Amino acid sequence: MKAKRLLGAGLAVGLGLAAITSTAVVAAQPKRGKGAAAAAAPARPAEPPATKKTIALTPPGIQWGMSTKQVAAVIDKMLDEAYVPRYKATSPGVKMRALDAELAEEKSAFRRSRIDFGKLPTGIDATPLKGEYTYLNKESMMTLIREGGKRHFFFIQDKLWKIIDEHALGEGNPRGKDFASAATKLAAAFGVPGRVTLPDPDKGRYVTEVDWKDAATHFRAIERGESEIAFAYEDLVTLSSLESLRPNKPADANAIDPSVASAIRKDEPPPAPPPDKAGKKK
């Protein structure tokens, strides 16, 4: 139950608490140099550790594989429940109609937030979410923003497979004052230290992550600077099939243009003749 309280509290009250393993990350954090980080960190396990507590999805009713319409319906119900105290405190009339309009706008805003990752680039490429999706593979995203929390729902072939929550950190914050202090809380909630992945620009990793998994969900705590953190929840079934679900691969920005490569090949001198073997003993 403790893990559910920490990770499944819902968007309005905080969407979760993050933590990384207590010793490895804390020791590695001050050492940003590539060589120093590699020396400080233990060998990275092939798989994230299995949690001793269930990784709960929130709000209640959210399940992997839901369509965008089904997720919107769950959010509608969550918003309806969130507005109940305000409705009870509001008298019928002008104020009640204004509250109706406010609730309807929140529901509509969530639906309008949908972004399809088709042929054209999106503004999301300029955010830390870049790398969490691909283009031309029937992927999309919807975002819910309310009461200081932000949650992104990711779909592939119109099936929910990933959720990312963004939160602030700081002194007195229930999630922790920084990424390292948030670490200890999740490690305690899950009952096991997480797997640490340090930055490695050569492999396209630019931040520290720590992850866990249960029978259905992969969970990542993602460093977002000194005052921010993100939690990513991913469907393990989809994750195992992601390669086949993403047949269209992004172009390599460092690759040589085909026409240039062809011209280079044409300008190459013909291969030299094989060495003369006359004079060798028979």
Side-chain angles (χ1 to χ4, degrees):
M1 289 298 295
K2 183 177 180 183
K4 289 187 178 182
R5 286 199 301 272
L6 293 178
L7 295 169
L11 185 67
V13 294
L15 293 178
L17 291 172
I20 42 179
T21 180
S22 54
T23 55
V25 170
V26 173
Q29 285 298 309
K31 301 178 180 180
R32 293 294 182 182
K34 192 174 176 182
R44 181 176 181 268
E47 293 286 333
T51 63
K52 296 182 180 180
K53 306 288 179 66
T54 301
I55 300 173
L57 300 181
T58 58
I62 286 291
Q63 297 178 11
W64 297 132
M66 280 185 160
S67 67
T68 52
K69 289 184 178 180
Q70 289 173 320
V71 170
V74 172
I75 296 304
D76 284 350
K77 183 179 179 181
M78 185 201 80
L79 291 172
D80 286 337
E81 293 173 354
Y83 271 72
V84 166
R86 296 179 61 187
Y87 271 105
K88 288 182 177 180
T90 303
S91 301
V94 175
K95 291 184 178 180
M96 183 73 77
R97 289 195 293 273
L99 195 56
D100 290 339
E102 183 181 336
L103 174 57
E105 172 57 25
E106 278 213 62
K107 293 178 179 180
S108 177
F110 179 63
R111 286 166 171 78
R112 295 196 309 269
S113 73
R114 174 169 173 166
I115 293 175
D116 290 289
F117 300 107
K119 294 182 179 180
L120 300 177
T122 69
I124 308 302
D125 293 348
T127 74
L129 294 175
K130 181 176 173 60
E132 301 288 355
Y133 54 86
T134 63
Y135 287 90
L136 295 172
N137 289 311
K138 298 180 180 179
E139 296 191 54
S140 61
M141 181 185 80
M142 300 175 76
T143 300
L144 179 65
I145 303 173
R146 72 182 325 263
E147 298 187 4
K150 184 180 289 186
R151 166 166 282 191
H152 308 282
F153 297 85
F154 291 83
F155 303 83
I156 190 164
Q157 296 183 2
D158 200 35
K159 293 181 179 180
L160 178 66
W161 79 279
K162 177 160 56 180
I163 298 170
I164 296 182
D165 301 330
E166 298 180 353
H167 300 293
L169 294 173
E171 200 69 46
N173 190 297
R175 297 175 194 89
K177 67 177 181 179
D178 54 26
F179 188 65
S181 65
T184 24
K185 294 184 178 181
L186 250 198
F190 285 141
V192 61
R195 177 181 66 170
V196 182
T197 301
L198 294 174
D200 187 347
D202 291 342
K203 295 182 179 180
R205 297 196 302 262
Y206 300 95
V207 297
T208 298
E209 291 191 8
V210 187
D211 62 346
W212 294 260
K213 69 175 181 179
D214 66 5
T217 302
H218 177 223
F219 177 89
R220 294 185 285 137
I222 308 168
E223 185 180 31
R224 288 278 182 85
E226 295 181 359
S227 60
E228 294 182 2
I229 194 169
F231 309 147
Y233 305 76
E234 298 171 322
D235 173 32
L236 283 175
V237 173
T238 303
L239 206 57
S240 67
S241 306
L242 210 52
E243 187 69 19
S244 61
L245 289 170
R246 288 174 165 172
N248 291 306
K249 308 302 179 186
D252 184 356
N254 297 318
I256 299 175
D257 184 271
S259 60
V260 175
S262 176
I264 292 174
R265 284 194 297 271
K266 290 178 181 177
D267 292 341
E268 289 177 353
D276 185 8
K277 295 183 180 180
K280 283 190 177 181
K281 292 184 180 179
K282 295 183 179 180

